[in-house]
Amino acid sequence: MVTMRKIFSANFILLIILFFCSCSSQVLDLSFVGDIMAHDVNFKMKDYSVMYENVAQHLLVDDITFGNFESPVDNSLPYSTYPNFNVHSEYVEAAINAGIDVFSLANNHSNDQGSNGALATMDSMLKLRHKYQNESKRNIYFSGLRKTTFDGLDVQIINKNNLRIAFVCVTEILNIYNASRHKVQFYYYNQDYRKEFSEKVSLIKMKTNCDLLILSVHIAEPEYVREISDLRKEYFRQLTECGADIIWAHHPHVVLPWEKYITKSGRESLIMYSMGNFISGQRYRMNYKKPDSPREYTGDPYILKVAVMRKWRSNDFVYKLNPIPITTKIDYSTGDVKLYEF
């Protein structure tokens, strides 16, 4: 009798576990990385794929990978580094071949080469999109630039695994505030503009009828600072109340925490406050005398793997996170900048 009771209890516990495991089902695998920069030590490399070769396996096995590309792409101009970046299409192709599917193009360097540079970037990205669709049936997406201010807010619709994903990209800061700013999806960081953008987020969620709304926000906060201001937390949480499901932020060039935030309606959201640099040369010469110097953190990013799970009997989602720490190493014999798992 005791044995039968033990068997019954074990089976009952197993059924309970199986029941709760079935309450959510995985529907989408996402990966988020940080800033893809183009310092001279990066673009002077002979083979750009070398930068990614040790970590690409993590990006090629998911459904969608997101990366923030911080440079114009104008093939008619030479490569250039800070403060006015520029690269050619082959630099972007290395990121695509490593697994990046979706590019955020709205950041403080978007108009480094003026209006013509912004338009050239759009043209270059469109040509790359067509190339990969034709040659490998692979979809490449980007958001953050526009031809005129009358184009409104560009919303990229991504259909994957029977989900409709809306992707929107904006920046709160630019390095150049001339007429070329109108080619960038730019919302200044004062209270009025943030209120306007919050209202647009609500409209996007409603009009696109999307399952997931992912926002890329290039934030107007100091670089290399590893604390999150209360004002930023409040603003990002407000954006989730307006309908954002995932907020992916950047600009500090160093990693900041992420959080799951539960909205007032009980919906789970994910906020990444900064993913740091993914590709860069900011820590090319390490400062061994001051290892706590702010820029020493610019070479240690994460790949954040996000398993999107649908809640049982609900249209809402929960997120299972798997951060993969990455570090930047330099081969001084060749000058190559490479990423490795930390």
Side-chain angles (χ1 to χ4, degrees):
M1 179 66 70
V2 173
T3 302
M4 290 298 293
R5 283 179 179 174
K6 287 183 177 179
I7 293 173
F8 176 80
S9 298
N11 287 338
F12 180 75
I13 292 170
L14 179 61
L15 286 172
I16 293 294
I17 292 172
L18 291 173
F19 171 78
F20 281 106
C21 287
S22 68
C23 288
S24 60
S25 57
Q26 186 167 335
V27 293
L28 195 64
D29 278 323
L30 305 178
S31 296
F32 292 87
V33 301
D35 307 326
I36 301 171
M37 309 296 294
H39 297 104
D40 55 359
V41 294
N42 302 119
F43 64 68
K44 286 181 179 178
M45 292 175 59
K46 294 180 180 179
D47 183 356
Y48 300 139
S49 67
V50 170
M51 293 187 286
Y52 302 92
E53 63 184 7
N54 298 308
V55 299
Q57 70 270 18
H58 296 297
L59 310 179
L60 291 167
V61 296
D62 58 13
D63 293 311
I64 311 172
T65 299
F66 295 78
N68 173 48
F69 199 83
E70 290 217 33
S71 173
V73 188
D74 189 338
N75 295 302
S76 70
L77 298 175
Y79 276 81
S80 60
T81 187
Y82 180 85
N84 299 119
F85 288 104
N86 187 64
V87 298
H88 294 172
S89 296
E90 60 187 354
Y91 197 85
V92 185
E93 284 197 77
I96 295 174
N97 294 335
I100 309 293
D101 306 288
V102 185
F103 292 88
S104 162
L105 299 179
N107 50 69
N108 57 305
H109 291 288
S110 296
N111 62 336
D112 277 3
Q113 301 301 329
S115 295
N116 289 338
L119 293 174
T121 301
M122 292 182 66
D123 183 61
S124 298
M125 297 301 292
L126 284 170
K127 287 178 179 177
L128 288 171
R129 174 183 287 175
H130 294 320
K131 175 182 177 178
Y132 281 85
Q133 284 176 337
N134 293 333
E135 294 182 359
S136 58
K137 306 299 181 184
R138 182 176 166 193
N139 292 317
I140 303 300
Y141 303 91
F142 58 90
S143 176
L145 300 177
R146 56 192 177 192
K147 291 185 177 180
T148 73
T149 54
F150 301 105
D151 290 343
L153 197 61
D154 173 51
V155 181
Q156 287 285 297
I157 299 298
I158 304 169
N159 293 297
K160 193 73 175 181
N161 296 0
N162 296 316
L163 288 182
R164 183 174 172 83
I165 303 161
F167 175 62
V168 180
C169 184
V170 299
T171 182
E172 294 187 328
I173 183 172
L174 292 170
N175 291 345
I176 302 170
Y177 289 94
N178 58 21
S180 64
R181 72 184 186 279
H182 299 303
K183 300 295 186 293
V184 187
Q185 293 193 163
F186 168 56
Y187 279 82
Y188 197 63
Y189 56 92
N190 66 24
Q191 186 174 355
D192 291 338
Y193 278 101
R194 284 185 168 179
K195 182 175 183 294
E196 178 185 340
F197 182 61
S198 299
E199 292 170 352
K200 289 198 174 185
V201 167
S202 298
L203 290 174
I204 291 167
K205 190 65 177 282
M206 179 180 63
K207 289 183 176 180
T208 61
N209 194 30
C210 62
D211 298 293
L212 277 174
L213 174 54
I214 300 178
L215 300 184
S216 168
V217 184
H218 206 72
I219 52 176
E221 298 230 353
E223 296 176 324
Y224 318 119
V225 174
R226 293 183 293 120
E227 290 81 31
I228 307 168
S229 70
D230 291 337
L231 186 62
R232 193 194 318 173
K233 287 183 181 180
E234 181 183 346
Y235 175 50
F236 281 1
R237 290 171 181 176
Q238 178 59 34
L239 288 175
T240 67
E241 297 288 354
C242 292
D245 296 291
I246 297 176
I247 298 177
W248 166 50
H250 21 83
H251 183 61
H253 298 300
V254 293
V255 170
L256 294 173
W258 46 82
E259 69 171 347
K260 294 180 181 180
Y261 175 73
I262 306 301
T263 65
K264 294 175 183 176
S265 64
R267 177 173 54 84
E268 182 173 291
S269 61
L270 171 63
I271 301 174
M272 292 165 271
Y273 286 99
S274 172
M275 293 300 295
N277 284 338
F278 190 54
I279 296 293
S280 75
Q282 286 190 291
R283 200 181 63 180
Y284 190 79
R285 297 292 180 187
M286 297 184 71
N287 189 345
Y288 293 104
K289 292 183 178 180
K290 294 184 178 180
D292 60 340
S293 176
R295 291 202 179 199
E296 293 305 294
Y297 293 89
T298 61
D300 296 319
Y302 280 87
I303 298 171
L304 187 60
K305 311 287 284 186
V306 181
V308 181
M309 322 279 287
R310 189 182 291 279
K311 292 177 69 175
W312 187 51
R313 293 184 177 179
S314 171
N315 290 325
D316 292 340
F317 299 93
V318 295
Y319 310 99
K320 180 181 178 181
L321 309 183
N322 176 28
I324 301 173
I326 302 296
T327 192
T328 306
K329 293 184 180 180
I330 313 300
D331 183 340
Y332 291 111
S333 64
T334 62
D336 287 345
V337 181
K338 300 180 182 181
L339 292 177
Y340 291 83
E341 287 190 49
F342 196 81

